[in-house]
Amino acid sequence: MLDRLGTGLKDAMKKLAGKTVIDKAAVDELVKDLQRVLLQSDVNVKLVMGLSKAIKSRALEEEPPKGMSVREHVLRIVYQELVNLMGKDVTVTLGPQTILMAGLQGSGKTTTTGKLARFFQRKGLRVGVICADVFRPGAYDQLKTLCNKINVPCYGEPGETDAVKIVQNGIPELKNSEVLLIDTQGRHALENELIDEIIALNELTKATHRWLVIDAALGQQAREQAARFHEAINIDGVIITKMDGTAKGGGALSAVAETGSGIVFIGSGETIEDLERFDPDSFISRLLGM
Amino acid sequence: LLSEKDISEPLDELEIILLENDVAFDAVDSIINHMREDLIGKKRKIRTSSEDFVIEALKNALLDVLGEGFSLTNYIDTHEKPVKVLFTGVNGAGKTTTIAKVAHFLKSNGYSVVIGSGDTFRAGANEQMRTHAERIGVKVISHQEGADPSAVLFDAVSYAKAHNIDVVLADTAGRFHNRANLMNQLDKIKRVMQPDIVTYVDEAVAGNDAVIRAEEFNNTVGTDTVVLTKADMDTKGGAAISITHTIKKPIMFLGVGQGYDDVIPFEPERLVNELLGAEN
Ligand SMILES: Nc1nc2c(ncn2[C@@H]2O[C@H](COP(=O)(O)OP(=O)(O)OP(=O)(O)O)[C@@H](O)[C@H]2O)c(=O)[nH]1
Ligand SMILES: Nc1nc2c(ncn2[C@@H]2O[C@H](COP(=O)(O)OP(=O)(O)OP(=O)(O)O)[C@@H](O)[C@H]2O)c(=O)[nH]1
Ligand SMILES: [K+]
Ligand SMILES: [Mg+2]
Ligand SMILES: [Mg+2]
């Protein structure tokens, strides 16, 4: 990974090659290069500035370990700081649990709910799904169609306007499920009533996990939005969707930073099979355009 | 006369403001660099600070980029009917909802509308479009899931012709610009239904990718007008600048919520004032 990082930032790295003491100008240039690619990948401006500062001071203050070249030393610092940005490692437990899906309108919650149902089903668990979206036309049809494809029970009450009531009814209906997935309607930070609704759903279900679904293309807004969701229901994992497009997913890193969580899964296509576990190295590669 | 030194601090600050508001990096770079060249050596009025002068210049530059917008009703009034509008864009951007809003808007303004439910791919897409259409009282033409979208939209156009309908609004499945087969399908749809206006829909909260996909859609299927959705998500709308700067096509509407009335004509001045602060 370190070598590839070097090629990703190649012009700036060249200036550090063969050096025996660290040259401030070369580090500044490297950081500037890094800033450019991170901003182009939608990493939050404030995160980028924080990361730049950390890299600069560490590169100039820390002694390179014995036998390590200046170039390697700086690369290692850059890599470590980038890995930090990825947040915690999230382990997905393969046992009984309830997962509450949350996110902005159109981010990919319903599709991802279908993918997760498939994922846990393949691990040999009994899965049940509840449609708690009382707003979007066709929401139940969409989720039900996805669940039917894999023979997973899907509870919903099309026409009902109270999401909490649906979930209340759905839980006993699906009591044989080991993994319970709850799809919710899209909402954003300024929609107070909807934020209250998801708080109520979280309290009712005592969800084991509350996962925030983020579109890979989401820009600077990711930070504020994630902060609001986190304040409401304590997000403990982020899923980045639509990584099969050209967006880099840097916005989701703000969500990780705001929630102190990590990335659980990556959505990489429209079919129910297109779900991948998160791999920090390949994510960093993509972020830096390598 | 303004020197490089006078303008460099205000320009650096403005650069950060644009970036924090989701104007794509390359668009910011190009706009700011252009201004840097343009401003050096300019005379500034006595009693305006160089900072105010730079802000004013940036406002003008952004207004230039954004253009005047596009009036759909003017277009309809001056063209042969039915006017056919094809909606394109990536997954989940808000195409289907926008069509429902635009249909409602046109209907309220006295135009007759038919919708073609051209997303035959995504689960629940037909049900979504039909429910919207029923609620706003507009006819929708749809086929089964899995059917050929060109055929659906051809039928919608035929229906409009046979019934003297003013406007056809054609939905398509969301797709990414890097999927050649899906982009070819859009091409075929275009050949079959011969749209008068191809409208590209993206969300106001999209970051740098807004530029890449707008450009690809414009290059492969063409774009005449743009709709930006989800402008209610506390965003200042930097994506509008990214997109118009890249493809130089006018913005037709902004989506500002999920209700049928939540569609507004685009006002460039308002956007720029919100972006840079209205105090100036
Ligand atoms: N290409 C691609 N498309 C995706 C992915 N995830 C979701 N989508 C598509 O994105 C669009 C929106 O997905 P939904 O699952 O309906 O999003 P949602 O968050 O449930 O939307 P609301 O319920 O309206 O808030 C659909 O066209 C999906 O097929 C992905 O990983 N890749
Ligand atoms: N807050 C807000 N939500 C919007 C707006 N426009 C659309 N939405 C929501 O975004 C989600 C996706 O909208 P759709 O109209 O289904 O998007 P689409 O582009 O047709 O999606 P696909 O057909 O799956 O590609 C829905 O929940 C809409 O209600 C808007 O202006 N503001
Ligand atoms: K989206
Ligand atoms: Mg949904
Ligand atoms: Mg749609």
Side-chain angles (χ1 to χ4, degrees):
Chain A
M1 184 66 203
L2 284 187
D3 267 356
R4 296 182 51 212
L5 205 58
T7 30
L9 300 165
K10 59 176 176 297
D11 289 342
M13 279 331 288
K14 261 188 218 140
K15 303 217 164 65
L16 283 168
K19 289 255 153 74
T20 45
V21 284
I22 294 195
D23 166 353
K24 182 166 181 306
V27 172
D28 282 351
E29 191 161 331
L30 170 74
V31 165
K32 209 159 178 215
D33 248 30
L34 186 64
Q35 282 180 350
R36 178 175 49 78
V37 285
L38 292 178
L39 290 171
Q40 281 172 331
S41 299
D42 295 319
V43 180
N44 188 274
V45 175
K46 292 197 173 68
L47 280 182
V48 172
M49 298 309 163
L51 184 94
S52 310
K53 243 174 92 181
I55 292 173
K56 275 188 199 171
S57 63
R58 286 188 58 193
L60 298 175
E61 280 158 28
E62 284 175 21
E63 277 302 316
K66 274 221 157 48
M68 189 180 275
S69 74
V70 162
R71 186 178 172 281
E72 281 165 344
H73 171 59
V74 175
L75 264 184
R76 204 176 60 130
I77 291 171
V78 171
Y79 180 70
Q80 284 169 351
E81 290 296 327
L82 285 171
V83 168
N84 263 344
L85 204 61
M86 304 295 121
K88 285 191 196 133
D89 266 345
V90 190
T91 46
V92 176
T93 50
L94 299 176
Q97 57 191 306
T98 300
I99 300 169
L100 183 64
M101 307 294 283
L104 298 176
Q105 283 92 352
S107 58
K109 296 172 294 300
T110 305
T111 310
T112 307
T113 303
K115 294 176 181 181
L116 288 172
R118 182 58 161 170
F119 172 85
F120 287 111
Q121 180 190 52
R122 279 186 185 261
K123 300 291 180 189
L125 292 153
R126 282 191 308 276
V127 184
V129 173
I130 301 178
C131 171
D133 180 349
V134 295
F135 179 80
R136 172 164 160 167
Y140 177 71
D141 298 289
Q142 183 185 4
L143 191 55
K144 178 85 182 149
T145 306
L146 295 174
C147 289
N148 281 351
K149 281 190 184 144
I150 52 172
N151 285 316
V152 159
C154 175
Y155 184 84
E157 299 177 26
E160 172 57 57
T161 55
D162 182 353
V164 175
K165 204 160 123 194
I166 297 178
V167 176
Q168 228 154 18
N169 296 337
I171 293 172
E173 286 290 326
L174 296 173
K175 62 177 183 301
N176 287 327
S177 308
E178 292 158 304
V179 178
L180 188 61
L181 303 171
I182 300 164
D183 183 25
T184 62
Q185 88 170 69
R187 71 199 74 219
H188 63 76
L190 301 179
E191 297 178 306
N192 288 327
E193 279 173 30
L194 289 179
I195 297 289
D196 289 344
E197 182 200 80
I198 204 159
I199 293 174
L201 289 174
N202 186 35
E203 282 169 1
L204 169 70
T205 57
K206 301 191 179 60
T208 330
H209 297 294
R210 294 143 311 270
W211 286 345
L212 183 63
V213 178
I214 301 254
D215 188 316
L218 185 61
Q220 300 289 319
Q221 266 293 311
R223 185 166 182 261
E224 271 305 302
Q225 297 290 340
R228 186 77 175 100
F229 276 98
H230 188 53
E231 182 196 348
I233 57 167
N234 191 14
I235 297 298
D236 68 341
V238 171
I239 298 177
I240 314 179
T241 60
K242 312 184 195 178
M243 286 290 276
D244 50 320
T246 48
K248 302 289 176 57
L253 296 184
S254 324
V256 167
E258 283 301 317
T259 59
S261 66
I263 299 161
V264 200
F265 285 105
I266 298 281
S268 55
E270 290 194 77
T271 83
I272 211 151
E273 311 290 346
D274 295 322
L275 188 72
E276 293 166 17
R277 288 308 313 275
F278 175 65
D279 168 23
D281 278 357
S282 78
F283 191 81
I284 291 174
S285 294
R286 180 182 173 115
L287 205 63
L288 298 183
M290 307 178 341
Chain B
L1 292 190
L2 286 169
S3 69
E4 167 122 44
K5 201 165 135 271
D6 293 330
I7 60 171
S8 99
E9 199 177 309
L11 273 185
D12 286 351
E13 273 167 31
L14 289 170
E15 188 169 0
I16 297 288
I17 291 179
L18 293 181
L19 287 170
E20 285 185 325
N21 285 297
D22 274 326
V23 184
F25 186 91
D26 294 333
V28 173
D29 208 42
S30 134
I31 292 168
I32 295 284
N33 282 336
H34 192 80
M35 283 187 60
R36 213 182 286 278
E37 282 168 25
D38 215 40
L39 282 174
I40 293 174
K42 276 259 161 68
K43 253 192 257 171
R44 78 175 139 87
K45 283 198 217 92
I46 307 172
R47 281 188 305 179
T48 49
S49 67
S50 36
E51 196 186 334
D52 286 349
F53 191 87
V54 172
I55 290 179
E56 200 50 43
L58 178 61
K59 275 190 179 172
N60 290 331
L62 295 181
L63 285 172
D64 245 19
V65 169
L66 288 169
E68 286 299 308
F70 180 94
S71 163
L72 180 57
T73 49
N74 279 354
Y75 185 94
I76 297 169
D77 293 343
T78 52
H79 287 79
E80 198 182 318
K81 290 170 201 54
V83 167
K84 296 161 281 177
V85 190
L86 177 68
F87 289 77
T88 67
V90 298
N91 301 85
K95 296 171 291 300
T96 304
T97 311
T98 298
I99 287 176
K101 292 177 190 176
V102 172
H104 176 70
F105 165 83
L106 290 174
K107 199 178 166 222
S108 316
N109 283 283
Y111 301 93
S112 54
V113 179
V114 62
I115 291 173
S117 184
D119 182 354
T120 56
F121 175 75
R122 186 175 48 69
N126 271 330
E127 288 84 355
Q128 183 188 11
M129 193 75 264
R130 279 195 213 121
T131 309
H132 279 311
E134 201 171 292
R135 288 190 191 155
I136 56 181
V138 164
K139 171 86 180 168
V140 57
I141 305 294
S142 61
H143 292 184
Q144 274 171 348
E145 194 177 315
D148 178 1
S150 305
V152 183
L153 300 179
F154 181 84
D155 283 359
V157 172
S158 307
Y159 180 92
K161 286 181 177 157
H163 295 81
N164 287 316
I165 305 277
D166 300 327
V167 188
V168 181
L169 301 178
D171 198 9
T172 57
R175 69 198 69 218
F176 279 127
H177 45 290
N178 56 356
R179 292 282 303 279
N181 56 337
L182 296 181
M183 295 310 274
N184 289 339
Q185 184 192 54
L186 266 188
D187 242 7
K188 179 180 169 198
I189 290 174
K190 252 186 88 176
R191 279 199 307 277
V192 171
M193 79 162 278
Q194 303 277 332
D196 301 290
I197 300 172
V198 178
T199 294
Y200 175 72
V201 181
D202 204 346
E203 39 185 52
V205 289
N208 281 267
D209 197 46
V211 162
I212 296 165
R213 56 210 200 182
E215 189 159 35
E216 288 293 320
F217 268 85
N218 189 38
N219 288 344
T220 51
V221 289
T223 298
D224 300 305
T225 69
V226 176
V227 173
L228 277 181
T229 61
K230 310 184 192 177
D232 51 315
M233 289 181 180
D234 203 18
T235 163
K236 304 259 171 67
I241 291 165
S242 308
I243 293 175
T244 49
H245 181 263
T246 308
I247 64 171
K248 308 197 160 44
K249 296 294 159 62
I251 297 181
M252 185 162 79
F253 289 109
L254 287 186
V256 292
Q258 300 186 88
Y260 297 119
D261 286 324
D262 292 329
V263 66
I264 56 173
F266 171 62
E267 297 170 56
E269 313 249 331
R270 189 160 138 193
L271 189 143
V272 171
N273 281 335
E274 276 179 18
L275 205 61
L276 298 183
E279 72 270 31
N280 293 284

